[in-house]
Structures are given as C-alpha cells and as structure tokens.
Amino acid sequence: MELIDKLSILADAAKYDASCASSGAPKRSSRGKAGLGSSSGMGICHSFTPDGRCVSLLKVLLTNFCLFDCQYCVNRRSSNVPRARFTPEEVVRLTLSFYRRNTISGLFLSSGIIRSSDYTMEQLIRVARLLRETHQFRGYIHLKAIPEADPRLLEEAGRYADRLSANIELPTLTSLKTLAPEKELGTIHAAMGHIRQGIDATNDDIARDARHLPRSANPKRMAPRYAPGGQSTQMIVGADATDDRTILQSAQHLYRDFRLKRVYYSAFSPIPERPAGLPQAAPPLLREHRLYQADFLIRSYGFQAEELLNAPGNLDLEIDPKLAWALAHRNDFPVDLNRAEPAMIARVPGIGLRSVQRLVDLRRLRRIRYQDLVALRCRLDTLRPFVVTQDYRPTDADRDSTRLRQHLTAPQPAQMALW
Amino acid sequence: MHGVSTPPASCVAWADDFDEWRQQARQLLQAGIPPSRVTWHDGEARHDDLFASPTISERPPSPEGASTPISIGRDQLTLLRNAARYRPRGSEQPRWPLLYRVVWRMVQGDATAMHAADDDGRVLHQRWHAIKREAHHMHAFLRFHRRDDAHGERYVAWFEPAHEILDLGAEHFADRMGGSRWIIATPGGGVSWDGTTLDYRAPCPENWTREARAAANRPNADEEHALWRTYFVSTFNPARLNHKVMTQHMPQRFWRHLSEGDLIPTMEAKARHGGQRLAQETSVGQRQGKALNVKLPADATSLPSRQRDDAPTD
Ligand code: SF4
C-alpha cells in the first residue's frame, strides 16, 4: 500500500481522539545544533479543519488493526473498516517532512492493540526513540500509553514523550464493562498512577537539583525529564446514559488523584456500522461545550463539580455553567468589585480571569467604576445584575432569578443550534 | 538657544522606529514639552519644507526637566515597544502621539495611563494583543516550500503580516529549523537564515520575493504538500462541521497561502450534502473493509502481555 493511502486511513482512524495540544513542553531550541525542532510551552495550531478543530500535531495511529472490541470505536476488531499499518520509519518521515514545512509542531501517535499490549507500546516507543535519538527531533511528542503494558515501558515512553495519555474513554465502571469489555478501569488507573509517579519523581529531582546544585549546572540536563507536558485523558460523552454530574465528578477525581493536565470530552461521533446498544445520533455538540466550560471552572476558578451540579443530571444547555451557578446563588450577589476577594469576583458571570486580575490591579490605583467594565470588555449584559461599583448598583427589578434568566436568555435563541 | 525660558509654540519630531521615538520622547519629556505641543512624523518623510517649527534637536533639555530622572518599568517599556509594532489602519490613531501622551501622563504621576481600563492604555493593550496574535499567526500559518540549491536542502516562504512582526517570526524559525537554511519574504522586508545567523533585508530583495511568491502560488510543486493535503482531509470530522469556529481561529486572508486552503470550501460543501452523517472520510469508507477474526481467551479482560502473535499486518 502506498504511503499516501496509509496516511489517509490512519489519520481518519485517529481523529476520534479530541486532543491535539502541543502545549506544556519545556523550552527547547535547535539553534546552532544538529537536528530539528523547538518547543516553547505554548502550543501552536497550524491549521483548522472545517470542524473548527485545531491541527497542531500529526495525529495518526501506527496501525488500526486491533484485538479489542470496544463498541464505540471505529477500529474495534469486528468493524468492517479498511486496515493499514505504518512502519515506524514511515511515521518518522512524515513527521519530519511536515514539521519542516511548518504544518505541524509534532506528533501524536496512538495505535490499535496488535499482538500484545507490550508489543504495541514498544512500537510506539520505537518511533519516539528514532525521532529523538536518530534525528534529534526537539518538537512535541505525545504518545498514547497502553494501560495494559508493562510499567517499565510506560517509564521508557515518558523519557521520550512530552505528554502521555491513557484514555479512560468511559466515565464509569459499568459503562466500561458494557462498551469496552476488554478494558479495565483498575488497569487504566494503575497506568495513570505510574505516569504520575514518573512525573512527580523527576519534578522532585529537578527541584532538589535546583536547590543543591550551583546555577551553572543546569538541572534540566541532570535529570532526564519525564513527560514534562503532563498526562491527559479522554472521555466519550453520549455513548451511553451517564450524566454530566458523574462525568465531572470523575474528571475532578482524575485531576486530584493523578494530577492530570487535561481531561478531554469527546462527543460520541456516529461511526460506520454502529453496533447495537449505541445511540443513533450524536449528542448535541453543545453538551460537550458545556462540559468543557464546567471543566475550566473546576480547573481554574476553584469550583467543585458538586457546586455546578448539586443533583444528578446534565448541565443546562441554555445558559453557561457559571451563569447557572450565579442564578442559583443570588444571596452571594451582588459582588462589590471594590471590596470583594478576587476569588469571588471570578465567580461573577461575564468577568473572566484576566479581567479579575486587571480589576484587582486597578483598584489599587483608584475606585472601580462601571465604565471600567466597559473598557475591559466584560460581558455587560450578563454581569449587570451581579455587581456593585462605585457608581453603580443593580436595580431591584433585576432581583428575581427566574425573570432574570428569561431576560438573559431571550435575545439569543438563534445561537442555540449553532452553539 | 541655551537658557530659553518659555518653550516654543510647537515642536516637530520624527521617528522611524521605536528606539528613535524613545530617544526623542526622552528629550521632549526632559524639556517638559506637553503632548499638545508636539507634532510627530512617522517614517522617512523628512522634507525640509516640513520644518515649520524648531525641531527638538535644537533644544537642549531644560535644567529643571533634566533634574527629574525619567524612569519607566520594564513591563511598561515592553508594552510600549510592542504596541509600536502595530500598523494603524484608516482612522486609527497614529502610534507616536499616542505613546508620547501615555508616557507624558505617567511622568506627571498618572499611573493609570497604561492600565487596560484607561482610554489610552486600552489602545496600547489592544495593540499589543494584536501584535501577539499576528506573531502567533506567523508561527502557525507560514508555510515553507522546499527549494534545494547547489548547497543542498533549502526552504522558502512567503508571508503577509498585518503588523511589524518579521523579527518575532524569524527568531522563532531560527530556533525551530536548526541547521536547515531558509528565507522568508514579505511585502515589507525579508530575512534569511544560513544555519547560524539571521540576515534582515528591507526592502526584501526582488529575487527572494519572486521565488517565495512562486512557491506559495504553486504549493503542489513540493510534493510533500500533497501528503499534507491528504492528511488535512482525513483528519477532518464532517459530523462536526463548524465554519464559524474555524474562521475565527484561521482568518480567511491566510488561506490563499496554505496548501490546504483551497480544499476547505469543497470539504465543507461535501459535509453539508450528506457526508455529515458520519465522522469517517468518504474515500476511506469506500475502500475494502476488513473485520478481524481473532480468537480471544475466554476471559478477554486478562489478555496477557506478549502472548498473541497472530495479529495481522498488511
Ligand atoms: S483498544 Fe478499543 S478503543 Fe483502542 S483502538 Fe482498539 S477497539 Fe479502539
């Protein structure tokens, strides 16, 4: 099979993984050195496909042959799809060639399980080793961690990769049992635990070296770094009946226990020859979007999953989770922007983290006025009922949550279908 | 002129770039000349007939001004320097008077002048934001085309930046491309990298422009771009078509010089007309499929490592 045909099959097979991030890598440069590639910590999207998704990495499977039969997956062994397999050298060639043309910032390599989990993991590592050692490639590498593989292999993978990810795929034990019978939650968690240990250990080494060694001895060179971009995972949304609260609690648990960098939510995509038991239609993309918003509130704003959803169920599709929380907690509002703790200002719907910082800076210089919120381009329509400034107080008429909600959602019904 | 006690009615100052502006601004501040009295000129239009009033070089700093050292924080300097890279369009305010007004206010003790909620400060922050965004666009959407010469491997690129960011891009690509040689040509200047040093040229040499534009207009002459186009089509998920988000992140002005740019309208049209039901790329679906017939152990969850050697290869 021609390389171009393999590429077409194995990129198609890999696109169900939502992650394409190239962020979080340490600073590397090839200036004045043999080899190729750099990383700056900030990810680069080199293109966007018409689905609005970022193309940052060459995202392919090494092969889409697979021994497993995960029901939601297009590559499951019972699926009637065309199959292909790259040689490690072919993946290396494509990565370097695309990289030089500046169409990607690195490689995200995953694979179906062939022969055995260990064998598959070894093949992935081989590609990364060729890139890093033979070609001195300093771009981004994200490797899929096969949870069932020997921990020693995960250890080795982390020495080459910026990021490792073991996909949890389904948020509960039961859904995993029904839809991915060969996968085991315990094994996935164990793999995440190994990766976390690896990351923590090198971070400790680096911190210790930085403390005890003279500055001239670059600590980065002393300890080979282990997956410096951290680990991530993916959960499929809408392949079964699991609700958003369970999904978010599970994500919260992963962030806490394994210090994941990111949890990706992937709305189940309709696949050819859908097995019985899977939904016919994809869940609304808006649901996925709301999960990302809620996830961001948990990671960066100090919210708990249980605050955003205090009972079983899904996030409100009509309004974003921060506004929903504020409407349910009217007693905490309005917030006086000249007095409140920054963490509380961050809970005001319509004020983002950057504006919080700017408001806090500004009030050291002078009192905050309503006009400042205009200048900082905060979402005025949304925040109006929730803030107090030196020259502004919300009027009493705005105080009823139900009416407020009607008022806030009324002008935008047309956006619903689009998201 | 020494010892003049009243400042002239107005001053004229010229600056081509930030460092020139900074030098002039420092003198004007030390002379205590308020923004309303300064007319700034940008660029090289130094015609003698424009000398309507004394230039600042003729005015030594007043003793009083010189005694107050003018200091400005490092972050603030960064903000000014980067905001100055912005090329104002249409009715947007020119850069030098804006910058001078801001530093004047700072020196007068108005610390809010550079805050994002201030009328002037907001413009600075917006401009810096636009600069970061445009530099990021260059890092992301510039495309190299391989054009070897007698000395071996070599890459060329054509890029049309909206602001003065060529150096920000060049530094990035020097880190990224290591020993590979390249040139980047733009409508303004150009820069080349020979593996060790950056060579800036303004204006851009004509032969660079010609070669880079030709490469950008016929991207398929470099056959690796054909592989890239295949990848782009395959990695797209038609079931999630979202034109708005795509164009938000990748403005259409860049499409022209992307080798995948001309594919986008077709991919969207196809997705809208039926292809949208499935995530799979149609051409992949049309190939001969292959379900795998593997015998799994009774307890499939305990699939042992290194056990099975019957996995198919192609
Ligand atoms: S292990 Fe499951 S999810 Fe992964 S490729 Fe195989 S069938 Fe798909």
Side-chain angles (χ1 to χ4, degrees), chain A residues 10 69 99 103 107 110 150 162 187 190 212 235-236 260 276 357 379 386 397 416:
Chain A
L10 293 169
D69 209 27
Y99 196 90
T103 56
L107 172 69
S110 179
D150 191 317
D162 288 299
T187 320
H212 297 304
M235 271 190 254
I236 297 172
L260 291 199
Q357 189 52 52
R379 272 163 50 210
F386 300 105
M416 290 300 299

Side-chain angles (χ1 to χ4, degrees), chain A residues 8 77 85 97 104 115 122, chain B residues 176 224 234 306 309 313:
Chain A
S8 143
R77 65 171 187 271
R85 180 178 177 180
S97 160
I104 54 168
R115 276 194 230 182
E122 278 164 5
Chain B
R176 190 180 155 101
E224 295 294 299
S234 258
R306 290 188 174 284
D309 227 349
T313 53

Side-chain angles (χ1 to χ4, degrees), chain A residues 66 68-70 72-73 75-77 111-113 169 183:
Chain A
C66 190
F68 281 21
D69 209 27
C70 311
Y72 51 81
C73 177
N75 306 313
R76 69 190 184 281
R77 65 171 187 271
S111 181
I113 313 281
E169 305 290 16
K183 290 196 176 178

Side-chain angles (χ1 to χ4, degrees), chain B residues 131-250:
Chain B
I131 292 305
K132 283 193 239 180
R133 196 170 143 81
E134 190 65 355
H136 196 72
H137 283 149
M138 183 170 181
H139 300 167
F141 304 137
L142 176 143
R143 294 290 188 261
F144 280 116
H145 302 271
R146 188 164 168 175
R147 286 286 179 279
D148 292 2
D149 62 11
H151 308 285
E153 208 169 316
R154 182 173 159 275
Y155 294 86
V156 302
W158 171 255
F159 194 72
E160 297 176 1
H163 306 292
E164 291 168 20
I165 51 143
L166 181 60
D167 57 323
L168 300 179
E171 292 292 333
H172 171 82
F173 288 110
D175 283 337
R176 190 180 155 101
M177 298 287 278
S180 306
R181 294 173 304 136
W182 50 258
I183 59 170
I184 297 171
T186 76
V191 55
S192 81
W193 170 255
D194 62 2
T196 48
T197 38
L198 289 168
D199 175 12
Y200 288 96
R201 308 278 185 86
C204 186
E206 215 175 287
N207 56 333
W208 291 11
T209 305
R210 208 177 320 112
E211 187 184 22
R213 295 205 68 144
N217 291 335
R218 285 191 317 121
N220 292 328
D222 178 342
E223 63 194 25
E224 295 294 299
H225 280 283
L227 284 168
W228 171 250
R229 286 162 63 88
T230 301
Y231 176 71
F232 187 74
V233 171
S234 258
T235 199
F236 164 53
N237 183 341
R240 301 175 57 111
L241 190 65
N242 196 333
H243 180 82
K244 198 171 120 213
V245 173
M246 172 187 60
T247 42
Q248 246 166 30
H249 293 294
M250 188 164 73

Side-chain angles (χ1 to χ4, degrees), chain A residues 26 114 122 141 186 189 242 315 402:
Chain A
I114 43 169
E122 278 164 5
I141 297 180
H189 281 168
T242 312
L315 292 164
T402 323

Side-chain angles (χ1 to χ4, degrees), chain A residues 46 52 63 72 117 126 138 169-170 177 209 252 256 274 325 339 344 381 400:
Chain A
H46 289 275
T63 175
Y72 51 81
S117 300
R126 187 149 164 239
R138 297 181 192 87
E169 305 290 16
L170 296 161
K177 274 224 167 74
D209 290 350
Q252 185 167 275
R256 201 176 42 222
R274 171 182 58 93
W325 182 84
R339 290 169 208 278
M344 193 57 212
D381 284 346
D400 177 280

